[in-house]
Amino acid sequence: MSELVFYVNGKKIVEKNPSPTTLLADVLRYKLKLTGTKVSCGEGGCGSCTVMVSWFDRSTSKILHYSVNACIVPICLLHGLAVTTVEAVGSTKTRLHELQERLVSGHGIQCGFCTPGMVMSMYALLRSNPVPTELQIEHALKGNLCRCTGYRPILDAFRSFSKDSGCPMGDRCCRNKDKKNSSDVVENCNENKNESDMGKQELIFPSELQLSDVYDQQTLEFKSDEVTWLRPVCLKDLLLLKKQHPEALLAAGGTNVAFYLRNASREKPLVIIATTHITELRSFEENEDGFLVGAMTSMTLLENKLMSLIDKHSETKTRLYHSLLDALCLFGSPQIRNRATIGGSLATASRLADVNVLLLAAGSHVKIASTDGEREVKIHDFFTGKSTTCLKPNEVITDVLLPFSTQDEYCGFYKQSPRKDLTLADVNAGLLMEFEAKNSSTVKNAFFAFGGLSSMLAVAKKSSSFVIGRKLDGSLLNELMLSLANELDQFVSGDDAKSFKVAVAQGFMFKFFLKISHQRFPKLEFLRLFKEEERYLLSSQADLQQKHSGVQVYDIITNQSETDSVGQPVPHRYAKQCATGEAVFIDDILPSQGELYLTLVTSTKASAKILKIDPSKALAMKGVVGFLDHTSIISSNKTGLYLDEEIFATEKVDFVGQTIGAVVAESHEIARKAARAVVIEYEELQPITTIEDAISHNSFHSWPGDMGAINYGNVSKAFGSCDHVIEGELKVGSQEHFYMETNSVRVVPKGEDGEMDVYCGTQYGAGLQNLVASTLNVPCNKIYVHTKRMGGSFGGKEFRSYLITLPSALAAHKFNRPVRCALERRQDMQITGYRRAYLAKFKVGFNNNGKVMALDLDMYSNDGFHPEYSAGFMGQSLFYSDNCYAIPNIYVRGHLCKTNLPPTTAMRGAGVPQGLVICEYWMTRVAEFLKRPQHKIREVNMYRGGDVTFISVPIEDSLRRCFEEVLKQSDYEHALVNIENFNRQSTFLKKGISVIPIKFSPGLPPSWYKAGAVVNVYLDGSVLLYHGGVESGQGLHTKMIQIASRVLGVSIDKIHISETCTGIIPNSATTGGSSGADLNGAAILDACNQLMARLKPIKDSNPDGKWEDWIKTAIAQKINLSASGYYNRAISEDFDWKTGKGQPYGYYTYGSAVTQVEIDCLSGNYVILKVDIVMDVGKSLNPAIDVGQIEGAFVMGTGLYALEEHLFGANGHLETSGAGKYHIPTISSIPLEMNVSLLKDCGNPQAVYSSKGIGEPPLLLSNSVFFAIENAVIAARRQAGLSPDFAFNSPATTKQIQSACGLGPQHLLKSLVT
């Protein structure tokens, strides 16, 4: 049959001769126009594309619902299934689903791009389990990433559906007091949590699919030029097809098939055989040897079956199954586990597959079939080499035997990875040991398997044999550790991480040894274990899962008019649209007739001459319209912030990802495929890629004018009088923005006079407008840049949006048709810029009392090949080299390294995060040198209210108030004592605590300090606002509406913001620097005040009238009800770098954080136990939004300082590209407890209604995570007798933590009782 039938949101979809290369997300978005399903990573690694798939299981007569990643599901797998998208869950046009309502009211939405995926993951869980536990809810969301919120409000909103959730405030719950009389409101009480009417609006499963099995029994055949897709429905037919097509890929869950489909070509046609409906491969059989599992069994179904067997059988018999549950708990994501199969995992023979390494250790058997017959293979013989198995081309896996454990057999699974969820292992292990007889301590058999050490699964045969016949005691452990080190060292030869991987593997064995000792000989105490260590080292992964919680405290104004929403925790204005998938992002705009799609052709070399550009193969493809390169330029090929870059490279490329050309085609898919067909010939040159290379080659960008150094006081003289002087250095890694919506643009020629609409997710519309106009050689008044919203930006869409906009504008001009370009995630990460990496070299002089007297500091930044505002961002680093400390003598210098990497760009904090962590690093070194409590040294040096910084900015009392409040809120002194006591008793787990104060000045350079606004009032009294700022999830539009509501005295429901447009608000500053509310709020205030002045006579003559009455009267009197507001009062002045005079900042936002962590010295894994934050936000315009910004920024900063490795290779390619390799925080990464308080009784006369900018400052607080981790490492090294001087750079990855702790065999064995 060549007809595909499936259902989407209850509607029957019939596709005749569908292309096998088509993915579900493409059908939903481009054919069915269901754009609520987002595509962010394109590889099933972020959850934005999550939908629910339902099918009728005829073996159980039940409808099953599960979440999947639409971006990697081929539509050909959906025959006879039902798909539900976010559009069918709830709508603003009818009603929101209860879970959407709770997410909105719980402030769990910021940019909203990830929200539909979050909704669908939760929805799928509730359809399967209407009353889940809190841990089940957290587990269901582990496949969904969010870059904005920090996850806490999402969890709080969804956990209200849990059967075991309760208010964390106990007696202080908001339901136990009168909120109107309280100024201390706790936000996250779960009111009416059990009053859901879930089920009343659920989509009904299609009766056709339930009543008939006709689609289950149909064989399918679909063909395209590149792929043939076949689906048999019985094992016999499958084996015949495999004989006919021995090279065919088998698609079971299809989690890997999408990657093959994207690269399919006519030169090598691909045959795929779907095994989804072969019932013989989905069988289960329990026999005396174990549990026989069909190869088509999904990991989720396997998990459920194993739990049933564990309930049915004894603990001794199901030890392997317990370990398998540990492996499955950390396998991929819920969406992946719902599709991935055990047979597929084995067939890939991946060295990192968690299940494979455990089955190898357990001695599982694999059943194989072909037309020649059946055979059974021991799994030891199944894996034959690097990603290879013993499977013959015509064979398939049919079953896998999961053996029962014997009474004397023990097994364990262990995994170490950069991030707990959604991450492949650095190292994993399946370990098995069997003893002679009951109560015997003599080892009868052993098998130790490891993944991640080399290109294939590694079996420690010598060490496995070594323990056989030996007794389980301290002597065996001692010798086994040494044997394992020697044997595994050979597997990882040549690997830079050799010592780390071997040490982690030894740690696994050590934990396994403890586990066996505890289970088999609970009274045998030859090892000392602290109770917390015992809990951690001996527990399963499931037992270690912990819930997250938090409290948010802020003042609420209670005696306020209903029409005045300023200061109220109003939900994000467009949260409902985001929750329902109705919010329109750039690539969600429905295409118009004849619309074209553009894909960039970029350099694959870091430094090379271009010898030839040949697009002929691409142009020959059906659906390709044209190719652009430097010969297509109308005006100038120069572009960029300083016009020092080329739109299209001409003779030379200077970094990987530099634009050489662009393919224009009739679809995204065609354009992307054609772009890969363009041939570029190069003559390679030697690139410079690192800071060290740049220093050795003297490769630097020049500073403008006198910028580059600040010399305050007399450093040389001060060093001579200090009691102590220390020197050191610190490296700070770079960071990717990883906004959920990649850079996207749609350019529409208006058809006359050169006019053009540009729909782009950009922070700087006016700048982009100017670049487009100059590129097309038209005046700016004919280019209109529109931005409705962005799916996150964080600085990454401030300057470099032109990379896709200018080629798209040229294509739109050339072909006179709309053109759009939406970057794929990996290309976006390679070309659009990132946070700069730093190297700092410092010299600090201080006295015995801890007072720092002198700082000499050099900071080197890797700025890539072009200096996009590099001087400004390094200037920020220099300005914040003091953080919050009064240092009488400072000499700081910045160096802008020029390398063959893509240009860096703005990112949240813009140079301050690097400068601040460098300051805190040397401050920590001072405390450690003096052996004084770190918080005391910080307090000794901290500015006081009324002080002036070395760049002439006054300090407020709020700085010390935040610091003192957070020490009190966290009970810091008591916590410190507890941690010190813990560390004295615990060997393998260590805790750390750190308190960090911060200051940050929201704002832009004085020349950019301007904003415009237009406020229109219509006949019915409704109000339309325009301003120059853009909404990227920070709640800017919501705050602007609140400001207007106060001035105009109308409800926020009457006020609307449609978009930001250069045709209405010209010459706006960029939305950045946490200044959006300050600038645009002031402009709106001005416009609204003008309107109210015009309405004053009317209001005075009719004081009892309503708003609508006054407006009708005003219109009748021909009063202008459109007002243009403007703000241009700079609150700072340019800094004179030569004289050191000037005040570059108008005010500071202050905060302090206390972070407590626990590290596992054996693996490097860590848990953030608790974070307490006190933040001065002035008088908040919207405390819920401000708290959301604090939490989200803190979690993003946790990624910067303690998780995200952004690494380029020596060839200039980004090695950590894509969601699979670049690891932003997941739900499991956030603090177990996170408490946020807004400082009371503070204001700010320099901003609207005494508020303060808040988007960036909280990110700085998360360096407290870095220093808490470092303090835990210091404790580990101290106990191990290692030097207190060691390199510890940012980010504090698990690899660095484990290596720094230095717990090798000799230290592990010190725990033995002698």
Side-chain angles (χ1 to χ4, degrees), residues 314-326:
S314 66
E315 181 274 333
T316 56
K317 197 171 185 178
T318 58
R319 285 176 182 148
L320 170 62
Y321 303 162
H322 281 280
S323 295
L324 273 170
L325 288 179
D326 281 350

Side-chain angles (χ1 to χ4, degrees), residues 7 54 56 58 80-82 205-212 215:
Y7 281 76
S54 307
F56 186 70
R58 303 194 188 282
L81 305 182
F205 184 76
S207 58
E208 179 188 19
L209 301 183
Q210 186 168 352
L211 297 176
S212 171
Y215 299 123

Side-chain angles (χ1 to χ4, degrees), residues 468-529:
I468 296 175
R470 298 288 301 275
K471 290 186 178 297
L472 186 76
D473 56 20
S475 175
L476 175 61
L477 178 59
N478 187 7
E479 295 176 47
L480 177 58
M481 288 289 110
L482 298 176
S483 170
L484 205 59
N486 292 330
E487 185 171 9
L488 297 185
D489 187 71
Q490 301 172 22
F491 285 107
V492 289
S493 58
D495 193 322
D496 291 338
K498 175 190 286 191
S499 59
F500 161 72
K501 290 188 174 183
V502 171
V504 167
Q506 287 178 303
F508 290 162
M509 184 61 70
F510 187 75
K511 291 180 182 180
F512 183 53
F513 207 96
L514 296 180
K515 175 182 175 179
I516 296 174
S517 303
H518 178 78
Q519 289 182 339
R520 190 166 182 85
F521 307 109
K523 295 183 179 180
L524 181 63
E525 296 184 357
F526 68 90
L527 291 167
R528 292 190 294 259
L529 280 181

Side-chain angles (χ1 to χ4, degrees), residues 536-573:
Y536 181 81
L537 297 177
L538 305 181
S539 298
S540 68
Q541 289 295 330
D543 293 335
L544 292 173
Q545 302 299 309
Q546 298 181 66
K547 297 182 291 187
H548 296 81
S549 64
V551 174
Q552 306 78 47
V553 180
Y554 48 77
D555 284 344
I556 295 287
I557 303 172
T558 56
N559 56 348
Q560 203 161 295
S561 166
E562 292 183 1
T563 58
D564 180 4
S565 62
V566 170
Q568 300 298 324
V570 176
H572 194 293
R573 171 61 180 82

